[in-house]
């Protein structure tokens, strides 16, 4: 039993095969744990918690393993972030690696660097024959894969690692490249054999970027895993000879959920079940990419010798063949087979999209719902009435086609049994309900002790706040009756979101009349002083007026490095606002980083807005993200900006819906297209009383950077 870091270091020095080092229950703050010892196959050396889950490594803590036959279990990392490049590392340094060792029954929860742009790993695997199993990793919000297998020395290649029965909890949208949940290898070592087995893991809402798993080495196996409601795909980005079998890809109908993206040579995808996947293009249920002729090692190698057989695609939106075809990616797939699969498109619609010539793929003995493109139709037959079995309605194999269960892994068979898995409930629910009476600093005082999900009900009257309210948890503030609670503030901001901060305003009237006459005021701002996880903002049934004491007063202003999962605006009024109402353009470095994934406005009105209603900026040309998205429906806009100011200024946007709106005295939406194939919907709008479906000026920079 050890009770201090010094005791631990001494115990490690004395450790012999078969010994067990027990960390005493409690919080171990800023603990730089180095577990370097030599066990044997029959007598490993253990590092364990006194009670699993009761040893908390917090602050600037990390764990490094080196030596042979070591086992770590029962630890929890939370309430801090690693000062190193990795939280748990299977090496002490580049010369001292761990082999034949295991980390199990351990948790890393929200242990993220407060600066979202700072890259690190939560788990870095080195050496050979190591195991990472029955662990729980949840809510990484800064850049860098959650977990990576490193092949940067010969001693870490052909490694035989096993990653099994782990719970990979939600990985929120990062808003830039670098949000993978698991990466094996890098492009530099992509032609190297890794031989890592990834089996029976549960990937729950792992949506950091387009690559849930980034495979960048050869000879790996992905078997029996479940991907639940996770945006993106298991991507065979680099490396050859990968096997993907017996996995369940269940999108649960969530946006951008996908299956497998195929690149490189000799890849086998067999006996997997793909269900309720909505993704298209790079996040389709199955994506077979075009390659680059004579590709450099870091680009796209041609698909050659892929075998895709005995899979079931059940209610999927798209299967993309020759995806990415352009002047650079012109090498079509060759020597490949797609056979004995069942393919049912969502709603009976054909899911196949052909982007180039596909004669290099042999289609045979597939069954499906019909409507196939002529180029592949000879390889399909009609599945007249698919037989569904079990309570989940799995499609039964038929005539030698389709996946044969079991596939995937149950949630309960992964992670640890003493730490709760992530809830799917709204973050604005589940807390206390507190009634407040009008007065000065009432909200400031009440919110100092707020817990996640608390709801604060404002009785009718006037509320004046003289101090900035910092929110690190999601809370709701609701008027007892719509418009009966009037809120004003005397500082440059009223709410500052940090950490896990989120805000729902419902039925409140907010005025900016009492705010100081200074540049850059806003009702809601952001800060990374307590970490910058993904924020949620919900404004509904509310009124925002007289934000005009200076020329740059916004309702929402995101700071550099902060990110909103969603900003939802419903049935609300905005009048006399001098600055951009939604200022989401702090990231101008052109690295593909941006401030908000979704801005959705419905049934709302904007009157006398001094500048653009929304300024949204996403720079760069990276293809790893899906956003930003801007949806504006059923709303009215009158007297927006002046001179050349557009009604909205959207740069690098990936999805725009501006539909069913009424616009008076405003310039069109300004669109700057930088990458991808953005979806644009301008329909059923009225401009100064006349129909105006097309209501945008567009600058297309794609291919010019």
């Amino acid at each position: 039993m050890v009770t201090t870091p010094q005791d631990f270091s001494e115990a490690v020095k004395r450790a012999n095969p078969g010994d067990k080092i027990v960390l005493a229950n409690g919080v171990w703050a800023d603990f730089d744990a180095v577990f370097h010892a030599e066990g044997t196959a029959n007598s490993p050396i253990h590092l364990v918690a006194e009670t699993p889950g009761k040893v908390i490594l917090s602050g600037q803590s990390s764990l490094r393993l080196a030596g042979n036959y070591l086992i770590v279990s029962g630890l929890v990392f939370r309430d801090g972030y690693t000062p190193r490049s990795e939280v748990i590392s299977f090496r002490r340094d580049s010369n001292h690696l761990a082999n034949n060792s295991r980390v199990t029954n351990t948790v890393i929860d929200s242990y993220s660097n407060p600066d979202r742009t700072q890259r690190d790993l939560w788990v870095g695997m080195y050496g050979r024959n190591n195991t990472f199993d029955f662990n729980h990793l949840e809510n990484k919000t800064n850049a860098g894969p959650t977990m990576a297998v490193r092949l940067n020395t010969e001693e870490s290649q052909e490694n035989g690692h096993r990653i099994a029965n782990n719970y990979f909890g939600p990985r929120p949208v990062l808003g830039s490249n670098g949000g993978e949940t698991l990466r094996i290898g890098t492009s530099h070592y992509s032609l190297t054999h890794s031989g890592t087995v990834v089996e029976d893991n549960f990937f729950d809402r792992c949506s950091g970027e387009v690559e849930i798993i980034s495979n960048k080495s050869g000879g790996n196996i992905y078997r029996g895993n479940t991907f639940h409601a996770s945006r993106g795909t298991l991507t065979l980005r680099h490396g050859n000879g990968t096997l993907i079998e017996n996995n369940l890809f269940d999108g649960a109908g969530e946006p951008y959920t996908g299956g497998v993206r195929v690149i490189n040579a000799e890849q086998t995808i067999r006996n997997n079940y793909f269900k309720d996947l909505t993704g298209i293009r790079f996040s389709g249920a199955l994506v077979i990419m075009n390659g680059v002729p004579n590709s450099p090692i870091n680009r796209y190698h041609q698909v050659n010798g892929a075998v895709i057989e005995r899979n079931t695609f059940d209610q999927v939106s798209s299967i993309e063949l020759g995806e990415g075809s352009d002047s650079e990616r012109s090498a079509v797939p060759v020597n490949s087979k797609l056979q004995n699969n069942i393919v049912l498109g969502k709603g009976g619609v054909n899911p196949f999209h052909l982007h180039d010539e596909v004669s290099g793929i042999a289609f045979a003995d597939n069954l499906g719902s019909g409507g196939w493109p002529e180029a592949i139709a000879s390889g399909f037959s009609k599945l007249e009435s698919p037989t569904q079995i079990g309570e989940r309605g799995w499609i039964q194999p038929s005539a030698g086609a389709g996946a044969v269960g079991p596939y995937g892994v149950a949630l309960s068979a992964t992670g640890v049994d003493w730490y709760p898995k992530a809830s799917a409930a709204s973050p604005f629910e589940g807390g206390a309900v507190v009634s407040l009476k009008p007065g000065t600093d009432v909200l400031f005082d009440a919110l100092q002790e707020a817990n996640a999900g608390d709801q604060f009900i404002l009785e009718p009257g006037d509320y004046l706040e003289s101090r900035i309210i910092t929110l690190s948890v999601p809370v709701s503030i609701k008027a007892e009756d719509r418009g009966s609670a009037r809120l004003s503030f005397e500082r440059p901001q009223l709410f500052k979101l940090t950490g896990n901060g989120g805000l729902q305003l419902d039925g409140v009237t907010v005025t900016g009349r009492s705010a100081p006459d200074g540049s850059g005021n806003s009702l809601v701002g952001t800060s990374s002083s307590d970490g910058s996880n993904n924020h949620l903002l919900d404004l509904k049934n509310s009124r925002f007026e007289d934000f005009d004491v200076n020329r740059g007063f916004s309702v929402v202003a995101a700071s550099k490095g902060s990110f909103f999962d969603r900003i939802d605006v419903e049935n609300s009024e905005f009048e006399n606002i001098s600055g951009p109402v939604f200022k989401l353009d702090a990231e101008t470095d052109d690295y593909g980083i941006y401030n908000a994934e979704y801005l959705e406005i419905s049934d709302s009105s904007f009157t006398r807005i001094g500048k653009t209603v929304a300024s949204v900026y996403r720079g760069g040309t990276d293809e790893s993200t899906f956003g930003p998205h801007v949806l504006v429906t059923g709303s009215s806009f009158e007297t927006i900006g002046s001179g050349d100011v557009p009604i909205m200024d959207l740069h690098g946007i990936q999805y725009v819906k501006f539909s069913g709106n009424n616009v008076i005295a405003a310039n069109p939406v300004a669109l700057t297209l930088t990458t991808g194939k953005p979806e644009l919907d301008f329909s059923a709008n009225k401009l100064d009383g006349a129909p105006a479906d097309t209501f945008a000026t567009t600058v297309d920079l794609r291919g010019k950077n």
Side-chain angles (χ1 to χ4, degrees):
M1 177 74 75
V2 296
T3 58
T4 68
Q6 293 76 21
D7 291 345
F8 167 77
S9 296
E10 289 300 318
V12 171
K13 290 177 184 177
R14 298 192 306 269
N16 293 307
D19 284 356
K20 181 179 290 187
I21 301 172
V22 182
L23 296 183
N25 289 348
V27 177
W28 293 65
D30 305 327
F31 182 26
D32 181 16
V34 179
F35 185 27
H36 190 171
E38 292 292 335
T40 67
N42 294 326
S43 299
I45 300 174
H46 293 255
L47 170 61
V48 303
E50 179 182 0
T51 305
K54 299 298 184 181
V55 173
I56 312 299
L57 282 74
S58 68
Q60 307 248 313
S61 294
S62 61
L63 171 65
R64 289 175 282 163
L65 291 75
N68 278 279
Y69 298 105
L70 311 176
I71 298 177
V72 176
S73 68
L75 309 181
V76 176
F77 289 85
R78 71 178 184 218
D79 303 323
Y81 62 97
T82 178
R84 301 181 175 276
S85 59
E86 294 156 349
V87 180
I88 297 176
S89 179
F90 282 75
R91 70 174 187 176
R92 178 175 184 166
D93 53 45
S94 59
N95 296 316
H96 300 91
L97 311 181
N99 298 290
N100 308 301
S101 295
R102 180 186 184 196
V103 173
T104 188
N105 210 37
T106 287
V107 172
I108 308 177
D109 185 358
S110 306
Y111 207 65
S112 301
N113 194 301
D115 183 346
R116 297 173 62 86
T117 65
Q118 292 297 308
R119 297 178 65 88
D120 60 35
L121 302 175
W122 277 5
V123 180
M125 292 191 82
Y126 301 83
R128 290 184 175 141
N129 302 317
N130 294 313
T131 298
F132 188 81
D133 64 350
F134 292 98
N135 299 293
H136 177 126
L137 284 72
E138 175 185 344
N139 196 38
K140 188 176 194 291
T141 56
N142 65 307
T146 305
M147 180 176 183
V149 176
R150 304 299 303 273
L151 280 67
N152 54 343
T153 64
E154 184 177 346
E155 293 79 12
S156 294
Q157 298 166 9
E158 299 187 8
N159 53 65
H161 295 323
R162 183 169 179 263
I163 301 168
N165 295 95
N166 300 290
Y167 173 71
F168 290 96
R171 174 86 203 246
V173 176
L174 180 62
S176 70
N177 187 22
E180 308 99 324
T181 294
L182 174 62
R183 188 187 72 210
I184 300 180
T186 59
S187 59
H188 186 76
Y189 296 98
S190 59
L191 298 181
T192 301
H193 189 275
S194 179
T196 300
V197 176
V198 180
E199 60 184 350
D200 298 329
N201 302 281
F202 198 99
F203 294 85
D204 183 15
R205 291 164 281 168
C206 293
S207 301
E209 59 146 274
V210 71
E211 297 180 10
I212 306 166
I213 295 178
S214 185
N215 184 88
K216 293 186 174 182
S217 55
N220 300 312
I221 296 174
Y222 300 91
R223 176 190 294 132
N225 304 285
T226 294
F227 297 82
H228 172 71
S230 295
R231 294 177 19 153
T233 62
L234 192 173
T235 301
L236 305 180
R237 185 63 184 87
H238 297 300
N240 304 318
T242 305
L243 172 62
I244 299 175
E245 65 178 359
N246 297 91
N247 301 283
L248 170 62
F249 297 85
D250 184 359
E254 291 297 314
Y256 299 111
T257 48
V260 177
R261 185 154 63 110
V262 183
I263 311 161
N264 310 297
E266 307 302 327
Q267 316 287 32
T268 300
I269 299 94
R270 68 186 182 203
N271 210 61
N272 303 281
Y273 202 102
F274 301 83
K275 181 178 176 62
D276 295 331
L277 301 171
T278 66
I280 61 173
R281 300 195 60 241
F282 279 24
S283 64
L286 174 68
V287 184
I288 301 179
M289 295 287 294
N290 263 21
V292 176
N294 302 310
S295 175
I297 198 167
N298 65 332
R299 288 300 290 153
Y300 286 81
H301 287 238
Q302 185 178 31
V303 173
N304 188 346
V307 176
I308 301 161
E309 61 184 2
R310 294 226 53 160
N311 303 285
T312 296
F313 297 88
D314 181 4
Q315 299 300 310
V316 301
S317 291
S318 82
I319 293 177
E320 311 282 352
L321 306 180
E323 176 59 73
S325 175
D326 58 21
S327 59
E328 181 201 22
R329 291 181 292 216
S330 59
V332 299
V334 295
N335 304 318
S336 297
K337 301 176 182 178
L338 197 150
Q339 60 193 17
N340 299 105
N341 301 284
I342 292 176
V343 182
L344 301 176
K346 185 175 178 62
V349 176
N350 160 54
F352 283 95
H353 301 121
L354 278 55
H355 303 273
D356 210 323
E357 198 263 330
V358 294
S359 62
I361 305 174
F363 298 84
D365 302 319
N366 300 289
L367 301 175
S369 48
W372 309 283
E374 183 177 349
I376 66 174
S378 62
F380 285 82
S381 299
K382 182 79 170 177
L383 181 62
E384 295 297 343
S385 55
T387 302
Q388 295 182 311
I389 57 175
E391 62 181 20
R392 298 192 65 181
W394 305 115
I395 301 298
Q396 187 173 5
S398 177
V404 179
Y407 17 73
V409 64
L411 179 64
S412 60
T414 63
V416 301
D417 58 11
W418 42 261
Y419 201 90
K421 294 179 172 64
S423 170
S426 167
F428 296 122
E429 298 174 353
V433 178
V434 181
S435 291
L436 301 177
K437 296 183 180 299
T440 300
D441 291 334
V442 170
L443 280 173
F444 181 91
D445 293 338
L447 290 169
Q448 296 310 296
E449 304 298 326
N451 295 308
D454 284 355
Q455 298 184 32
F456 297 88
I457 309 301
L458 304 184
E459 296 182 7
D462 295 318
Y463 296 78
L464 174 64
E465 298 294 324
S466 67
R467 290 179 283 183
I468 296 174
I469 300 170
T470 299
L471 287 175
S472 58
V473 295
V475 300
S476 299
I477 299 172
K478 300 181 179 182
E480 199 171 84
D481 297 302
R482 179 175 180 174
S484 64
R486 297 174 295 276
L487 180 60
S488 59
F489 55 103
E490 296 180 336
R491 296 299 304 278
Q493 289 177 338
L494 177 53
F495 299 106
K496 182 174 291 184
L497 304 184
T498 188
N500 290 313
L503 177 64
Q504 182 182 76
L505 281 180
D506 187 352
V508 180
T509 295
V510 186
T511 176
R513 292 181 193 130
S514 300
D517 184 4
S519 177
N521 289 352
S522 65
L523 171 67
V524 178
T526 58
S527 169
S528 61
S529 61
D530 187 30
S532 184
N533 297 340
N534 294 15
H535 304 303
L536 291 172
L537 180 62
D538 188 5
L539 308 176
K540 58 184 179 182
N541 308 315
S542 295
R543 178 176 173 82
F544 306 89
E545 62 186 19
D546 299 333
F547 285 49
D548 58 359
V549 296
N550 60 53
R551 292 180 295 173
F553 204 153
S554 298
V555 174
V556 180
S559 63
K560 185 178 177 65
S562 64
F563 188 79
F564 287 89
D565 267 336
R566 297 192 64 89
I567 299 174
D568 289 304
V569 182
E570 179 184 358
N571 197 27
S572 293
E573 302 169 356
F574 300 81
E575 186 170 351
N576 295 333
I577 313 290
S578 63
V581 181
F582 303 101
K583 193 174 188 305
L584 307 170
D585 57 4
E587 301 285 358
T588 58
D589 299 328
D590 287 347
Y591 293 145
I593 301 171
Y594 49 101
N595 285 129
E597 186 70 7
Y598 283 90
L599 170 62
E600 186 161 358
I601 300 168
S602 63
D603 303 314
S604 296
S605 65
F606 297 81
T607 307
R608 291 187 295 280
I609 308 300
K611 295 184 180 177
T612 186
V613 169
S615 180
V616 182
Y617 190 97
R618 173 198 187 273
T621 60
D622 186 80
E623 298 174 301
S624 297
T625 54
F626 298 110
H629 306 73
V630 175
L631 298 87
V632 185
T633 58
S635 297
S636 65
F637 301 85
E638 184 170 357
T639 315
I640 308 298
S642 60
D644 295 331
V645 174
I647 188 172
M648 291 186 175
D649 190 356
L650 309 178
H651 184 106
I653 213 79
Q654 294 299 295
Y655 183 94
V656 180
K657 182 175 184 178
F658 193 90
S659 178
N661 303 295
N662 187 33
V663 182
I664 298 174
N667 292 315
V669 174
L671 292 176
T672 303
L673 307 182
T674 60
T675 189
K677 299 178 181 178
E679 295 184 54
L680 309 176
D681 176 8
F682 290 85
S683 60
N685 299 296
K686 288 186 177 181
L687 175 59
D688 296 327
D693 285 347
T694 302
F695 189 59
T697 58
T698 302
V699 175
D700 193 344
L701 300 180
R702 292 173 295 179
K704 301 177 182 179
N705 296 307

